[in-house]
Amino acid sequence: MALMLKDIYTRLLERGHKLTPQRWAIIAIFLMNRGRHLSADDVFAMLRETHPNNGIATVYRTLELLEEIDVLKKLDFGDGRARYEVRDDDNHHHHHLVCQQCGKITEFEDDLLIALEAAIHKKTGFQITEHVAKFYGVCAECQQKAENG
Amino acid sequence: MALMLKDIYTRLLERGHKLTPQRWAIIAIFLMNRGRHLSADDVFAMLRETHPNNGIATVYRTLELLEEIDVLKKLDFGDGRARYEVRDDDNHHHHHLVCQQCGKITEFEDDLLIALEAAIHKKTGFQITEHVAKFYGVCAECQQKAENG
DNA sequence: ATAGTAAACGAGAATCATTCTAAATACAAG
DNA sequence: CTTGTATTTAGAATGATTCTCGTTTACTAT
């Protein structure tokens, strides 16, 4: 099921953290932008609109905290900055398709990697806890543009 | 087949690059350390042993150049620095297993991801040119240590 | 061989995302 | 209210990477 505010609140309190206005605002930004992959600077810019005197350091700390309590998932698309997305219980196995033309990032659901993980464990004894899979190429739209151009 | 010095020499000259002693030395470092994943700093340290007055900027420039001509493959293990390995013609589909305990990186050969790429193209029209797959977990040795400790 | 020219070099400054520090503030519990 | 702890801000620090610029070098054509 989708992650709710109540869950986040509970997780924070369980670990002895406070629900400050800054954290509240940053959580809201992510909940209002589900499906997007926000960088610290993206969040900072959005936060500034409503909280003009928030510091960037707080954004970084909050992102780190939200990752620790499994609210956010840290992503790396190789563009030199970390990005984050909401980690719902039901989005556990989607992969990212990065278009090298327009930079757009789409998602793809598939559990084929589970089979691969099983094969790896069988052959090497390696116990996998997490995987990262990214695919680089050209999205359907950019292919069409290239044909028509 | 394995990448030879002659191939590298040819590729450099074809594109109008010069074969300087510095480049020669850096190429040699990679050929003498096949299978390892060297960072710019690793290369710099090794280079210093024989060429004490080489600059780090040259290392970065050379790594970039060698990547451009497909001699090296740039890797990102999420430790905040880029790493490089020799890109042989025959190592096209190995994945990296990163042990979260000891940091060791092992490799695993498998073409299962090809099937996944086909599935993605069929469903989304996305034309994939490259993929990155990394698996994080605990290697067999660290598991044993944990059991015995 | 020699000189000309573009490429490459070294040293250090600059950049950029991220992390740390120090001092100030807010919150929860007694 | 007071005290201890968590959190915040602003700015400095960090660390990998890139840029700049004056100098040097490898290749080319004389």
Side-chain angles (χ1 to χ4, degrees):
Chain A
M1 78 214 108
L3 191 66
M4 307 292 287
L5 272 177
K6 205 171 111 185
D7 304 321
I8 300 173
Y9 183 71
T10 306
R11 289 184 202 175
L12 278 174
L13 289 195
E14 269 173 1
R15 313 208 187 188
H17 297 296
K18 297 173 183 172
L19 190 56
T20 65
Q22 292 90 335
R23 287 178 182 167
W24 184 260
I26 290 173
I27 290 168
I29 285 172
F30 274 97
L31 294 184
M32 290 163 54
N33 288 278
R34 275 176 190 264
R36 292 187 58 191
H37 312 102
L38 303 175
S39 68
D41 216 58
D42 292 338
V43 174
F44 185 53
M46 293 179 181
L47 187 63
R48 284 287 204 172
E49 291 172 12
T50 54
H51 297 68
N53 35 354
N54 251 90
I56 183 83
T58 296
V59 173
Y60 278 104
R61 273 189 303 250
T62 304
L63 294 178
E64 189 183 15
L65 174 63
L66 292 177
E67 197 199 355
E68 272 174 33
I69 64 173
D70 287 328
V71 169
L72 296 182
K73 184 173 164 60
K74 190 174 192 173
L75 307 170
D76 174 11
F77 293 133
D79 60 348
R81 77 206 65 198
R83 294 179 173 281
Y84 293 83
E85 68 179 9
V86 177
R87 185 198 287 269
D88 278 333
D89 290 344
D90 50 1
N91 75 347
H92 38 104
H93 284 113
H94 69 265
H95 318 130
H96 289 110
L97 315 180
V98 183
C99 179
Q100 292 169 322
Q101 308 255 312
C102 65
K104 195 181 62 180
I105 291 159
T106 50
E107 293 172 0
F108 182 79
E109 294 272 346
D110 199 296
D111 285 341
L112 243 174
L113 279 183
I114 307 251
L116 185 51
E117 289 187 1
I120 289 170
H121 186 241
K122 201 168 192 175
K123 283 194 198 173
T124 68
F126 200 95
Q127 185 65 53
I128 293 168
T129 57
E130 180 152 31
H131 66 245
V132 172
K134 283 174 293 185
F135 299 87
Y136 297 92
V138 184
C139 70
E141 291 161 30
C142 284
Q143 286 175 55
Q144 285 196 340
K145 278 182 197 161
E147 285 172 17
N148 302 339
Chain B
M1 78 211 108
L3 190 66
M4 306 292 288
L5 273 179
K6 207 171 109 184
D7 304 321
I8 301 173
Y9 183 72
T10 306
R11 288 185 203 174
L12 279 172
L13 289 194
E14 268 173 0
R15 312 209 188 184
H17 297 296
K18 296 175 183 172
L19 189 57
T20 65
Q22 290 90 336
R23 286 178 182 167
W24 187 258
I26 290 174
I27 291 168
I29 285 172
F30 275 96
L31 294 185
M32 288 164 54
N33 287 279
R34 276 177 191 265
R36 294 186 57 190
H37 313 101
L38 302 175
S39 69
D41 217 57
D42 292 339
V43 175
F44 185 53
M46 292 179 184
L47 187 63
R48 284 289 203 170
E49 292 173 11
T50 53
H51 298 68
N53 36 353
N54 253 88
I56 183 84
T58 296
V59 173
Y60 277 105
R61 277 188 297 242
T62 303
L63 293 178
E64 188 183 16
L65 174 63
L66 292 178
E67 197 199 355
E68 272 175 34
I69 63 172
D70 287 327
V71 169
L72 295 183
K73 184 171 165 63
K74 191 175 191 172
L75 307 170
D76 175 9
F77 293 132
D79 59 348
R81 77 206 67 195
R83 294 180 174 279
Y84 294 83
E85 69 179 7
V86 177
R87 184 197 289 268
D88 279 333
D89 292 342
D90 50 0
N91 75 348
H92 38 104
H93 283 112
H94 68 264
H95 317 132
H96 289 111
L97 315 181
V98 184
C99 178
Q100 292 170 321
Q101 308 256 310
C102 65
K104 195 182 61 180
I105 291 159
T106 50
E107 293 173 0
F108 182 77
E109 295 274 345
D110 199 298
D111 285 339
L112 244 173
L113 279 183
I114 306 250
L116 185 51
E117 289 189 2
I120 290 172
H121 185 242
K122 199 168 193 173
K123 284 196 197 171
T124 67
F126 200 95
Q127 185 66 52
I128 292 166
T129 57
E130 181 153 30
H131 65 244
V132 172
K134 281 174 294 182
F135 299 86
Y136 296 93
V138 184
C139 69
E141 291 161 29
C142 283
Q143 286 175 55
Q144 284 196 339
K145 278 183 198 160
E147 285 172 15
N148 299 341

